[in-house]
Amino acid sequence: MLKLAIVIIHYNSSADLDRCLESLVACAPAVEHAVHIVDNQSTDEGLDAVHQRYPQFQWTFSDENLGYSRGANLGMSQVEAEYYLILNPDIVVQPEALDNLLAFAERTPRAGIVGPQLLNPDLTIQHSCRRFYTLNTLLLRRTFLGKIFPDSTTVRRHLMLDFDHRSSRPVDWVIGGCMLVRRTAMERTGPMDERFFLYFEDVDWCHRMWQAGCEVVYTPEARFIHRHRRESAQGKFNRTFWLHLGSLISFYEKWGALVWLLKKWREPLLVMLLWALDMAGMAAAFVGAYGLRKLLGGFFSEGLYPFAEYRPLLLFSLLVGTLVFLLTGRYTGVRSRRPRRLRAHLKQVGVVSVLLLAATYLGHLEVVSRAVWLFFIPLFAWTTSLGDAGIRAIQRRLEKGYLSLERTLLVGPPDVLREWLERPRSLVAEGIDVAGYIWGSSAAESAGPPLLQGGTVPWLGTLADLGETAQRYRISQIIFWQRPSPEGPSRRQLALLRRLRVRLCWNLEDVWLLTSGARPERIGGDWSAVQTHAAGSVLRGGLLRLGSFLAGALLVVLTLPFWLALRLLRIPRGASAARRVPTRDPWGYDPTVTLAVGQDGGTLPLLWQWPLAWDLVRGRLNLTGPRTVAGPAPKTGISAMAFWKRQPAVPGLTGDWARGMTPEPVAGGWKSLFTVWKTLWRDPGGFGVIAPDAPVAGTQPDAHEVP
């Protein structure tokens, strides 16, 4: 294996390329190396002369413009080396620069990427190492605000102008015009991300290096001249500007916390968007039908009432349409890539139309023209189908540009994953963006994990790292090739993933998952059981949070006098006191609560529990929800079926669990409801007697028994 492979990505800059190759010949490194030039379908006339002048180098002439990242990956795939030096053609190598750069990398084993010092043609220092972008940085670097605030502290920090660039140090990222990449580090992160045609591929690669535990280091010990033009900033609306903007959007779609949040809430957001488009289409159809009737008024013997008379009927129509669409399942499966069946949509439109016609007939609404309804029905079917088709077209366009894909983590044996990844189909077309895979129960067990799919799918950690990896890499979907079991991810990790609203998918062989509320869906060509949040749970959760907030606000006022008496006067029950208690719950919220307890350690009634009322207001507790347990975790957890059927929920001060706390458990009815609320009054949270030396709760045991 070679020590160094130098990869140059060229496009229509033959003069710069000639100067770069001349410097490589004059300042060649002492180690065994190779130079590989990848040409991205250049059309300039000087390329043939440069090619003939340097036949000793390897050349690849692409039939299309691959872009910077694809070109770099193609070049690196042609040569095996310990280090890869990615160069722009506008780099001029200085004497001993390559040897010094390699020597520094050898002395810095934690460095995955090393960026040398770059100089302008006048030998002044170029700011080639930078801090990661922030929103303020983008506004000041890419809008007119930069001209208003040219000396902004934000921009100075981004360009690292507070650093003299004369000493070696770890940095956030270095520009990709000249960067040395360690092969072993690339095996942890994968090569450049090919979604970036030009720009931000270097920022993304450095970000992934840091995520994988490798450092990005800048050093002035090696110096190169860079004839940097910064074309993306030379014009407002030239092609490079739009390429830079597109790559910027792709970068934040991949790593932005806000985009990750929106992806996790994509299903309810799509439901709301489709509903809004349906209602807009329905209103437009109604107005259009009225307009047609007015335009054709000469063909009718009866007159037409003013539109103001129709407004109440329009509002009634919107209400009926909403209810019918909800009850007939129009808003289920909004993420499916298959178009909706026309027959099912026409049935839904027909039900709405029949109900509206029946309502006007039974209500003897003489102001309504039957012709308006006849015009309305086909217009209604057309406008609502347009909204649905529009959403799916936008989804496909965004997915094609890598802007709406499911950032997916694979969990399974490398051999199985390799076979799945190498099947002849496009994962991007199916909405899947594979970030990497996880396997092994320990780092030692997973030593030397292979790169998959031609080196683009790296190993990201062990099963013990699942939850942390999902957050670090902004994962929105995880596909398992291992059924839920004690040998797989722990219950606590799965609870964390469900709280984060990450889609969890299993092979359909585990059919029992379908009985827990999962739905069948094709993922990468295979049938899988997909566990996700039901759209209705969002509405129920919102209403419960609102009710808990209002109840908490009322209880804060009612309980404050009793709490003050307990804390200041200590008159209730003699030695009553407040005690901070760590708790555990099935979903890992694990709030630490402050309880008012009596002399015997028993929890006092609700009127003394002002901190619990405040927790209701803050959202740390709900009025009803799963039980949270003080002290050590219980001996047994909830069953596997119960875990998967239920939706993650904040712990409650009462709930269905309260029915089992009476000497004779109640099955249902008014007596059962009375028991639930009696628990809220007498023992809110069901904490019972709190031991004086209650230890911090341990890990919730996993119960993976499959029914």
Side-chain angles (χ1 to χ4, degrees):
M1 182 184 295
L2 297 175
K3 189 69 175 181
L4 174 66
I6 302 172
V7 178
I8 303 173
I9 303 90
H10 172 258
Y11 179 72
N12 284 342
S13 54
S14 297
D16 286 337
L17 179 62
D18 188 28
R19 191 181 301 109
C20 177
L21 297 180
E22 182 182 6
S23 68
L24 280 173
V25 173
C27 307
V31 300
E32 187 178 5
H33 69 284
V35 178
H36 194 106
I37 301 99
V38 177
D39 178 71
N40 276 331
Q41 201 183 24
S42 296
T43 57
D44 57 340
E45 298 178 355
L47 181 60
D48 288 339
V50 177
H51 181 209
Q52 294 174 9
R53 194 173 299 126
Y54 300 100
Q56 69 271 34
F57 297 149
Q58 302 175 26
W59 293 77
T60 297
F61 294 93
S62 173
D63 295 332
E64 59 176 321
N65 188 351
L66 301 173
Y68 195 83
S69 55
R70 286 181 65 191
N73 290 345
L74 176 61
M76 289 188 289
S77 68
Q78 304 298 312
V79 187
E80 287 193 1
E82 292 184 35
Y83 293 93
Y84 292 96
L85 180 65
I86 310 298
L87 286 185
N88 271 4
D90 55 4
I91 292 289
V92 179
V93 182
Q94 298 301 290
E96 301 183 353
L98 294 173
D99 291 324
N100 291 342
L101 187 61
L102 283 172
F104 179 83
E106 291 285 287
R107 298 196 310 269
T108 318
R110 288 184 56 84
I113 290 179
V114 179
Q117 185 182 75
L118 299 184
L119 304 175
N120 294 308
D122 60 1
L123 301 184
T124 57
I125 295 177
Q126 194 174 109
H127 303 125
S128 58
C129 58
R130 302 177 185 177
R131 293 185 174 92
F132 286 126
Y133 284 92
T134 65
L135 177 60
N136 291 340
T137 305
L138 293 172
L139 292 175
L140 290 168
R141 292 275 288 171
R142 293 299 170 192
T143 69
F144 65 92
L145 294 176
K147 296 182 179 179
I148 300 176
F149 306 101
D151 297 322
S152 168
T153 304
T154 300
V155 175
R156 292 180 62 83
R157 277 186 50 79
H158 169 69
L159 297 176
M160 297 187 68
L161 298 183
D162 54 340
F163 168 50
D164 62 4
H165 294 75
R166 298 182 185 277
S167 59
S168 301
R169 59 168 289 182
V171 296
D172 283 354
W173 64 281
V174 295
I175 65 173
C178 182
M179 56 165 56
L180 183 72
V181 184
R182 192 185 305 270
R183 180 186 184 87
T184 54
M186 191 169 67
E187 290 173 351
R188 286 294 312 273
T189 64
M192 283 189 175
D193 191 336
E194 296 182 0
R195 79 182 67 195
F196 301 100
F197 183 85
L198 187 64
Y199 304 115
F200 276 89
E201 68 286 325
D202 44 9
V203 188
D204 172 77
W205 212 6
C206 292
H207 190 278
R208 285 188 284 140
M209 286 290 172
W210 282 110
Q211 296 288 11
C214 303
E215 292 183 347
V216 178
V217 182
Y218 166 85
T219 179
E221 296 182 18
R223 309 173 80 190
F224 296 74
I225 292 178
H226 185 205
R227 302 168 64 87
H228 187 40
R229 291 189 292 267
R230 200 184 168 209
E231 294 180 353
S232 63
Q234 290 181 3
K236 288 186 177 180
F237 302 110
N238 57 12
R239 181 172 182 266
T240 53
F241 169 84
W242 292 113
L243 287 172
H244 192 279
L245 180 61
S247 295
L248 167 66
I249 294 172
S250 294
F251 179 79
Y252 277 95
E253 187 277 337
K254 182 177 179 180
W255 296 109
L258 177 60
V259 178
W260 187 43
L261 179 65
L262 291 176
K263 278 187 176 182
K264 293 188 293 183
W265 290 86
R266 173 163 35 191
E267 191 156 352
L269 290 174
L270 284 175
V271 168
M272 288 189 286
L273 176 59
L274 181 57
W275 173 82
L277 291 175
D278 283 344
M279 296 304 101
M282 195 172 188
F286 197 95
V287 173
Y290 181 87
L292 280 175
R293 171 62 178 83
K294 189 173 183 178
L295 183 66
L296 301 175
F299 295 94
F300 298 92
S301 58
E302 298 180 357
L304 184 65
Y305 285 90
F307 187 76
E309 300 290 340
Y310 283 81
R311 286 175 184 167
L313 185 58
L314 174 58
L315 296 176
F316 177 71
S317 302
L318 296 177
L319 176 62
V320 171
T322 298
L323 292 175
V324 170
F325 284 167
L326 281 173
L327 295 175
T328 55
R330 176 167 173 78
Y331 301 125
T332 59
V334 291
R335 299 178 60 169
S336 173
R337 288 168 184 80
R338 292 182 299 175
R340 295 181 185 273
R341 293 183 178 179
L342 179 61
R343 180 183 301 177
H345 179 56
L346 292 179
K347 282 182 179 180
Q348 294 166 343
V349 171
V351 171
V352 174
S353 303
V354 168
L355 289 176
L356 292 177
L357 287 170
T360 57
Y361 178 77
L362 296 175
H364 302 287
L365 300 179
E366 298 180 357
V367 300
V368 179
S369 169
R370 296 295 183 269
V372 172
W373 284 128
L374 292 177
F375 293 145
F376 168 76
I377 293 172
L379 288 175
F380 175 41
W382 180 63
T383 54
T384 50
S385 63
L386 277 182
D388 188 32
I391 287 180
R392 296 180 188 280
I394 292 172
Q395 282 183 293
R396 288 193 296 270
R397 184 66 187 90
L398 291 175
E399 288 174 354
K400 187 177 180 180
Y402 283 83
L403 296 178
S404 185
L405 302 180
E406 290 288 1
R407 189 112 167 105
T408 302
L409 180 66
L410 310 180
V411 180
D415 292 341
V416 176
L417 300 184
R418 182 181 293 107
E419 186 274 330
W420 184 81
L421 288 167
E422 292 176 355
R423 293 179 187 176
R425 87 289 198 203
S426 171
L427 292 176
V428 172
E430 298 183 22
I432 298 174
D433 171 24
V434 179
Y437 75 97
I438 273 182
W439 188 244
S441 57
S442 66
E445 178 184 330
S446 303
L451 286 167
L452 303 179
Q453 203 179 26
T456 60
V457 178
W459 176 78
L460 300 181
T462 66
L463 290 172
D465 308 320
L466 181 59
E468 190 268 341
T469 301
Q471 295 181 82
R472 189 150 42 93
Y473 285 89
R474 304 293 194 234
I475 299 299
S476 59
Q477 174 174 268
I478 300 177
I479 305 177
F480 294 91
W481 274 262
Q482 181 186 39
R483 65 186 299 177
S485 67
E487 291 76 26
S490 71
R491 179 71 62 82
R492 303 292 290 182
Q493 288 183 324
L494 294 173
L496 170 63
L497 295 172
R498 296 194 64 196
R499 280 166 35 215
L500 293 173
R501 300 184 65 86
V502 175
R503 281 164 51 94
L504 307 178
C505 312
W506 285 269
N507 189 286
L508 194 60
E509 291 179 1
D510 290 314
V511 70
W512 68 270
L513 283 168
L514 297 179
T515 66
S516 72
R519 67 169 182 262
E521 185 176 318
R522 291 189 77 89
I523 304 289
D526 285 342
W527 281 104
S528 300
V530 179
Q531 226 303 334
T532 185
H533 275 255
S537 66
V538 178
L539 178 60
R540 289 193 298 270
L543 292 176
L544 177 59
R545 179 81 286 277
L546 176 61
S548 299
F549 173 82
L550 295 175
L554 177 62
L555 287 172
V556 163
V557 177
L558 295 178
T559 59
L560 184 58
F562 295 89
W563 176 253
L564 291 176
L566 174 68
R567 297 290 289 165
L568 302 178
L569 304 179
R570 292 184 175 272
I571 56 175
R573 299 200 181 186
S576 296
R579 185 171 299 161
R580 287 181 59 79
V581 180
T583 68
R584 286 285 187 180
D585 67 90
W587 298 108
Y589 290 95
D590 303 342
T592 297
V593 299
T594 300
L595 296 174
V597 297
Q599 186 176 8
D600 59 352
T603 306
L604 295 181
L606 183 62
L607 276 182
W608 302 99
Q609 305 293 348
W610 183 83
L612 292 184
W614 184 237
D615 285 338
L616 286 176
V617 174
R618 296 164 59 193
R620 298 179 72 241
L621 294 172
N622 272 342
L623 202 59
T624 64
R627 186 181 181 186
T628 182
V629 180
K635 296 294 183 182
T636 59
I638 60 176
S639 68
M641 184 60 72
F643 177 81
W644 292 111
K645 275 190 172 183
R646 298 174 187 174
Q647 297 292 336
V650 175
L653 296 182
T654 189
D656 292 340
W657 47 266
R659 297 191 180 105
M661 296 184 65
T662 58
E664 297 180 1
V666 183
W670 289 104
K671 190 174 181 181
S672 171
L673 186 61
F674 174 74
T675 300
V676 170
W677 293 106
K678 183 172 67 173
T679 299
L680 174 63
W681 172 257
R682 290 186 175 180
D683 183 10
F687 294 105
V689 177
I690 305 299
D693 55 348
V696 175
T699 301
Q700 179 84 3
D702 294 322
H704 285 282
E705 56 270 28
V706 178

